[in-house]
Amino acid sequence: MELVWGTKEFVIAGHPYQGFPILLWDSMESCTQANQFFRHYLLRGDIGSKESWPSTGRALYDFFSFLQAHDLDWRDVDRGEAKSLVAAYRDYCLVTCELAINTTRQRLTYICKFYEFALEKGWVKRLPFSHEERTVKRETSFLQHVDASGGKALVNDVLPRRHKSLPKFLSMSQAKSLMAAADNPHHRIMIQLALRTGLRRNELATFPTAYVFDPDKAGRTERNLRIRLDPFDGSGMETKGNNVRNIHISRKFMSELYRYVTKLRGERASLGKGQKALLLNHRGKPYGSNGKSLNRIIVETGERVGIEVHAHMLRHTYATHTLVSLQRNPQQGIDPLVYLQRALGHSSIQTTMIYLHLVNEMADEAVLAYDDELNEMAGEV
């Protein structure tokens, strides 16, 4: 079994799809059913992002390799065993490979989607899994009072229960230490941009110089300047799902970005030609839109001061501290969660609510710490 990635010459319906997953048998013949599924699942309208390509491709590759190693056929859904093919692979991931629950869930989700597609195509007679009723946490909503589910839902019985861990973020002191460790000015502006905007890795990598200006010369007097992230404006900006959204950059930081573009960026820009991206590597080229090399710089900067950090943690840091600030200093007509949802580009406010849980936990810890200090003081009296 081989997993390869499409080149620039790999064309579907007249469009090149470089980096698209392709699954091949050992004979180098196409694994037709899996490849048909990739086209169906990854090119549908609601995906809109290349970020899902590698994880989906590797999940199917690993599953088929597992079956091949154990001399099993993926179509043998009526094998007469108590444990289905997918359940056997799940236990292999969790027990033998000791993968994290959420990693295993992600793989199984793609595999189950493949089998649902196979059932529609008539390649299998039934699904190698079923559904069971489980108690689920009910989200607070406007129509909660008419919800007759009783907190129950039908879920895929092969998926392990989701392990929800709160996102990790940097304290203000850690963020300052990280900034101080970035002695390279190009790396420092990168970290600042991430901490001040909450942009995703690919958004940081493609953030264009076209969005940077001198607020004084532009006649902009606002304290916070609204910037429109638009993948269709020709600037080279990329966003998840190609969704347009607005972010805010403080007037002071915009001035700092402008000074960087006019004073420092030129030494790298001169090595390349007409690069649109704000952030350029030491060869004068933009960082890859997957943001991996950009992420490596952030990780290595954190290591110099003993801070375990990555690019997405800076997004969590922005979100957490912004929410705390908005709750402490409420603005008329602005819902903190709705503002944060729009700034982060979340399609659902339920995704944003995890930061509310995080802030509440922070508050609980602060109360306990305060109570401990009072107890110590009382003991000293």
Side-chain angles (χ1 to χ4, degrees), residues 101-120:
I101 290 176
N102 287 348
T103 301
T104 303
R105 276 187 63 93
Q106 182 189 54
R107 289 187 178 187
L108 292 173
T109 297
Y110 298 137
I111 292 165
C112 291
K113 290 291 184 184
F114 165 73
Y115 271 108
E116 290 171 356
F117 179 70
L119 183 64
E120 289 180 10

Side-chain angles (χ1 to χ4, degrees), residues 18 36 45 62 69 73 87 94 99 109 153 183 243 258 274 309 321:
Q18 185 176 8
Q36 284 189 33
D62 198 63
D73 190 321
L94 292 173
L99 296 181
T109 297
D183 46 13
N243 294 318
Y258 183 72
V309 63
H321 291 290

Side-chain angles (χ1 to χ4, degrees), residues 204 231 245 322 352 360:
L204 285 170
R245 78 174 189 275
T322 297
T352 319
N360 289 340

